[in-house]
């Protein structure tokens, strides 16, 4: 929807290619339009741009050399993993180098004694768990894209997933990083031991969307596979009741491995797509996975069943085999592409809210959906309060795109107004720059820029992403409505 | 041991006091020597200094005003909580303001729906759990000093504690901070919702030892009190066997609430001090607390008993009542002061190592102890690999202090050489500046300084602490022996 024009070939492309090829094989430096095409966008396909050059380094030294060269020439650089990101974080620049980490796909070490895996950034999320499986271990964060997304991208975006309620986001599961800064320095952050001294640059890098450095190695925590994992499906005739059940489960002191919610449009789409056995007449379903020691899971399954019934579930069933469990999750994990089949286009939102505001926020989204005349399917990590409303629209209908974007903005402002955030796990990228102006005050944005300057003073790494300039915020006309600080009369508007 | 001379009164003390009293009551601005005395050191009493002025602000606005004034006048500022820190992080400066947060002691909110507490930084760690107790909730990190230390200090030092193996360090339990930067700006970092966008300044602030900003509000996660917590005590006739048992428990997929180890000198000291019922003839004891749902704890107690016996425990007993449980922990929590009664002085080390290197590191510490002729008592968070060797010495014996310091340095170099760190939870402060030069390469230290510059370009906040300058590293003659990177022949030396 925001396709940009084909870049005018930069005069120094030839010189750059020549110099890059001094230390990289010719086939690892791409510049022909047909070779650049696969890199023109990430999972946010509405934004497209051909990079000046694509580099595919294979060693840390090559990454250092590419960055040093670009630093000297003042050429901007965008790092890219698998390109599955949903906010345009890996969108190339017409005058910049696209640095693909696709060749960094080795698992360097599975250390069972310390329960860590040391891997290259281009290793696929699921491949880590597969490699650790023979040792009875796995890597916990599981974004829906886990069969494709890479661990380097997960770190850059601080990705979440179905199991993050219990096991934390990427930042809680990464123990060490090696990064290369824009001037080609290699830094080692964290490691296998608990809590290194000095400033926590490891956490700072995690979720920094490629603006502070290029990740060249990742050490992650591995967890023992729980003895048992069982999933319950509960159906509700009212979305608000499902929202209340989420609060009731958490309030009872139970932390499920996953606690996911889908509303009727999402249920029907997923069912039609993967035949997970979902009740297509339900207003909402909850999927609640309990994992741990056998005895504990048995007790919790019993407790959660009771709670779900008390909250008005019309049906509660449990997967009795691993195959049934996988089938129930398959529907949830395929929900985005499934919804994609319902309508020519969809716009995936990603906001978070304090968990107990769920029922009122869902009601307000439904009201806005009617007001804008645009259907919404809701799929989300309910336990975390991480919403993914998918707005269905047709970009070919005049005005629908603009209405969709306005609706999306209102959803994000609603999230901020109830004390939440404008992105839970998909990152800011190019897409959420305007909402960031609502989320943060000028002093906070200024501090972000100061931190960026401490790593990359010339602003060459992934420029124009993640943190809006104060100037852009002024252009957007965005109002800063900070968590809970709006007077009550303002909150009433949402 | 490193007492500094009494400061020469600064010529502008009077002017500073006058200006501070423009916006603070006279009794909140102290400058007479007898009023300054209580602030001359923190828990690391070997370093002492009288500050120029002590300020005791009561409101965020006053903190902002103090910092703005000091920023204008280029007066350095050291923030202080309860002063229980063990690395001299709150050591005052003779030409600086000591900013005490002692009056910030209000619990602002216990939000049971979101399970968070919002508190002022001067609130005592234990007071949070006490306030949350009627709601069945508690705050997990529990430093041994929890009856005295404040949450603001905990955040500044990223404190740990007995239960951090299962529940994480402070950084894993803090959801939001309000901080004031050196130029008086108020920043809000994080909040009640999961994962805010932008750089993770919340994690960056945590453990930054007062160098980046002054904490004026803290939002922490509360956890439901586990249904049951039971502690096992196991005695061993060999320290190495106890170390192996730690590995065996973790390898079995059990994550105890706490897993602590004490060697014979520590056992005897604690027993003589608090009469916890420890077996004083054991070479080492392990305290292993299992917590969670009733059924789970029963199963784990059974499993851990078997594992302890298989690893050669000579005795395994469990606390059968809450009073017995408290008594077993009382010995561990009082271990430092208890050891303090054995000898005129002791030097508390705080290094971490990868857990499975425990037996060999303990053997090497014993060898060094014999070599230096200085006894060591070992008390530590075994599950985390966080060691606290306490070197016993007498500062009045000529040369003993120097020998103790040399011994301590060797212990920390040993930690780094096996892939660990020079401080687990006590911070760097003024005490660990030299070991930081071994821990980090020049590129990493330079990046730390760049981050500091992004918050406090004039270097007025807690200068001279936490991160050594490259110049000082050169002076120390410290060699950088980075985790695992030493050639094997070098490792053999340890």
């Amino acid at each position: 929807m925001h396709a940009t024009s084909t870049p005018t070939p930069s005069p120094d492309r030839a010189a750059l290619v020549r110099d890059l090829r001094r230390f990289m094989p010719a086939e690892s430096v791409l510049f022909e339009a047909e070779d650049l095409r696969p890199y023109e966008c990430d999972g946010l396909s509405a934004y497209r741009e051909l990079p000046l050059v694509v580099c595919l380094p294979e060693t840390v030294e090559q990454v250092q050399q590419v960055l040093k060269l670009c630093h000297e020439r003042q050429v901007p650089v965008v790092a890219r993993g698998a390109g599955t990101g949903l906010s345009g974080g890996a969108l190339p620049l017409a005058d910049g180098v696209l640095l693909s980490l696709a060749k960094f796909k080795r698992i360097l070490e599975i250390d069972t004694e310390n329960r860590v895996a040391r891997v290259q950034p281009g290793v696929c999320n699921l491949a880590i768990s597969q490699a650790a499986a023979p040792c009875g271990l796995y890597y916990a964060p599981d974004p829906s894209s886990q069969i494709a997304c890479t661990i380097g991208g997960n770190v850059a975006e601080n990705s979440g997933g179905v199991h993050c309620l219990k096991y934390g986001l990427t930042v809680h599961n990464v123990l060490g990083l090696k990064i290369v800064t824009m001037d080609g320095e290699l830094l080692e952050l964290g490691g296998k031991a608990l809590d290194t001294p000095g400033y926590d640059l490891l956490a700072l890098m995690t979720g920094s969307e490629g603006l502070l450095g290029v990740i060249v190695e990742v050490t992650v925590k591995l967890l023992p596979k729980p003895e048992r994992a069982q999933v319950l499906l509960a159906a509700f005739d009212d979305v608000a009741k499902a929202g209340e059940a989420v609060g009731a489960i958490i309030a009872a002191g139970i932390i499920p491995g996953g606690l996911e919610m889908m509303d009727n449009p999402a249920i029907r789409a997923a069912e039609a797509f993967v035949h997970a056995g979902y009740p297509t007449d339900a207003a909402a379903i909850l999927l609640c996975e309990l994992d741990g020691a056998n005895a504990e899971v048995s007790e919790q399954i019993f407790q959660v069943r009771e709670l779900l019934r008390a909250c008005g579930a019309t049906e509660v069933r449990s997967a009795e085999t691993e195959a049934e469990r996988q089938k129930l999750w398959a529907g949830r994990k395929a929900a985005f592409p499934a919804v994609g089949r319902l309508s020519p286009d969809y716009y995936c939102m990603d906001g978070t809210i304090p968990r107990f505001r769920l029922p009122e926020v869902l009601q307000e989204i439904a009201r806005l959906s009617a007001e804008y005349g645009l259907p919404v399917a809701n799929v989300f990590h309910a336990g975390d309060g991480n919403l993914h409303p998918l707005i269905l629209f047709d970009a070919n209908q005049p005005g629908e795109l603009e209405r969709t974007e306005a609706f999306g903005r209102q959803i994000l402002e609603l999230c901020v107004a109830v004390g939440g955030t404008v992105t839970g796990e998909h990152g800011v990228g190019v897409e959420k720059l305007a909402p960031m102006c609502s989320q943060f005050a000028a002093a906070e944005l200024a501090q972000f820029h100061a931190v960026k300057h401490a790593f990359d003073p010339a602003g060459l790494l992934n420029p124009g992403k993640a943190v809006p300039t104060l100037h852009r915020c002024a252009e957007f006309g965005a109002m800063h409505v900070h968590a809970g600080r709006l007077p009550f009369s303002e909150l009433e508007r949402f």
Side-chain angles (χ1 to χ4, degrees), chain A:
Chain A
M1 37 182 155
H2 296 271
T4 52
S5 58
T6 316
T8 42
S10 160
D12 39 19
R13 179 185 294 187
L16 188 64
V17 169
R18 193 189 58 229
D19 289 340
L20 287 166
R21 285 182 170 175
R22 285 191 214 276
F23 53 81
M24 294 215 293
E27 70 271 19
S28 299
V29 183
L30 313 176
F31 62 92
E32 303 280 2
E34 69 268 26
D35 294 331
L36 302 179
R37 190 69 61 196
Y39 301 93
E40 71 176 352
C41 69
D42 61 11
L44 182 73
S45 57
Y47 294 75
R48 291 170 192 271
E49 187 74 82
L50 285 184
L52 185 66
V53 173
V54 171
C55 279
L56 292 141
E58 279 179 79
T59 65
V60 173
E61 291 67 31
Q62 286 177 354
V63 172
Q64 290 181 285
Q65 286 170 309
V66 172
L67 289 174
K68 266 184 198 152
L69 181 69
C70 290
H71 188 239
E72 268 170 41
R73 301 272 172 88
Q74 297 286 293
V75 174
V77 175
V78 177
R80 177 189 174 99
T84 55
L86 293 169
S87 57
L91 180 72
L93 295 163
D95 61 349
V97 166
L98 190 286
L99 184 70
S100 165
L101 280 305
K103 293 189 175 181
F104 278 75
K105 43 168 83 271
R106 279 194 304 137
I107 292 180
L108 302 169
E109 185 186 8
I110 301 285
D111 172 351
T112 55
E113 278 178 312
N114 286 303
R115 292 233 185 100
V116 303
R118 205 161 50 82
V119 303
Q120 291 189 320
V123 169
C124 161
N125 172 297
L126 190 60
I128 302 175
S129 291
Q130 285 168 341
C135 313
L137 301 171
Y138 77 111
Y139 174 65
D142 55 343
S144 296
S145 57
Q146 71 179 139
I147 55 167
C149 63
T150 64
I151 187 69
N154 290 176
V155 173
E157 300 294 325
N158 191 17
S159 302
V162 160
H163 287 89
C164 289
L165 172 60
K166 185 164 182 176
Y167 299 105
L169 298 164
T170 301
V171 69
H172 305 113
N173 290 276
V174 169
L175 298 171
L177 289 178
K178 289 187 188 170
I179 67 158
V180 179
T181 53
M182 190 62 214
D183 54 2
E185 284 284 1
L186 180 67
L187 303 184
E188 295 195 24
L189 311 175
K192 289 182 184 177
L194 180 88
D195 188 30
T196 50
Y199 304 121
D200 193 349
L201 303 188
L202 178 62
L204 185 65
M205 276 300 299
T206 309
S208 64
E209 304 197 15
L211 271 77
L212 303 184
V214 174
I215 298 160
V216 292
E217 191 180 301
V218 184
T219 300
V220 298
K221 200 192 284 184
L222 298 176
L223 297 180
K225 261 190 262 184
E227 191 179 359
R228 178 172 157 201
Q230 193 162 1
V231 63
L232 286 172
L233 180 151
F236 293 85
D237 58 10
D238 179 350
V239 173
K241 285 183 195 166
E244 279 155 23
V246 169
I249 291 168
I250 304 288
I254 296 164
I255 305 182
L259 184 50
E260 301 282 311
M261 187 166 156
M262 295 164 74
D263 70 0
N264 184 269
I267 296 166
R268 279 186 293 122
E271 187 56 25
F273 191 36
V274 300
H275 313 294
Y278 292 167
T280 51
D281 56 342
I285 60 168
L286 283 185
L287 292 172
C288 178
E289 181 159 294
L290 300 157
D291 63 3
N294 208 355
E296 182 192 8
V297 173
S298 297
E299 197 176 300
Q300 290 189 341
I301 288 274
F302 177 79
Q303 256 187 297
V304 172
R305 268 182 189 280
E306 294 300 300
L307 285 167
L308 290 166
R309 291 224 181 80
C311 291
T314 54
E315 182 195 353
V316 182
R317 61 172 122 121
S318 65
E320 296 303 328
T321 65
E322 178 61 19
E324 278 178 42
R325 176 178 163 261
Q326 292 292 351
K327 202 168 145 193
L328 287 183
W329 279 124
R332 167 61 189 88
K333 293 206 173 184
F336 285 16
V339 168
R341 306 191 328 158
L342 292 186
S343 135
D345 299 284
Y346 74 88
Y347 186 37
C348 171
M349 311 301 298
D350 167 47
T352 73
I353 56 167
R355 199 160 41 220
F356 76 102
R357 311 286 298 251
L358 212 51
E360 62 184 298
V361 168
L362 288 175
Q363 272 169 11
E364 181 60 15
I365 291 175
R367 199 191 62 71
L368 288 168
S369 169
E371 186 181 309
Y372 280 94
L374 293 167
V376 173
N378 281 293
V379 177
F380 52 87
H381 309 311
D384 289 333
N386 185 190
L387 311 177
H388 292 312
L390 304 167
I391 306 175
L392 309 184
F393 72 104
D394 181 352
N396 288 327
Q397 295 299 318
E400 275 215 4
L401 170 61
E402 291 70 26
R403 275 215 323 285
T404 301
E405 291 187 324
F407 181 7
R409 266 197 306 278
Q410 278 213 267
I411 292 177
L412 295 184
E413 282 174 15
L414 172 61
C415 290
V416 173
V418 300
T421 69
V422 299
T423 166
E425 54 179 9
H426 295 174
V428 173
V430 290
E431 195 204 13
K432 303 278 176 52
L433 286 171
M436 283 289 280
C437 305
S438 313
Q439 179 91 57
F440 292 103
E444 287 138 6
L445 291 173
Q447 192 59 57
F448 287 152
H449 289 295
V451 168
K452 163 75 169 171
H453 191 265
F455 282 80
D456 174 23
L460 294 171
L461 268 176
N462 218 6
K465 315 268 177 76
V467 183
T469 60
L470 295 176
H471 182 70
R472 280 203 78 176
C473 285
E475 272 179 3
F476 291 136
M479 179 186 58
H480 170 61
V481 284
H482 210 79
R485 279 221 236 107
L486 271 186
F488 192 70
S489 59
E490 288 285 305
L491 275 167
E492 288 291 286
R493 284 175 38 221
F494 297 108

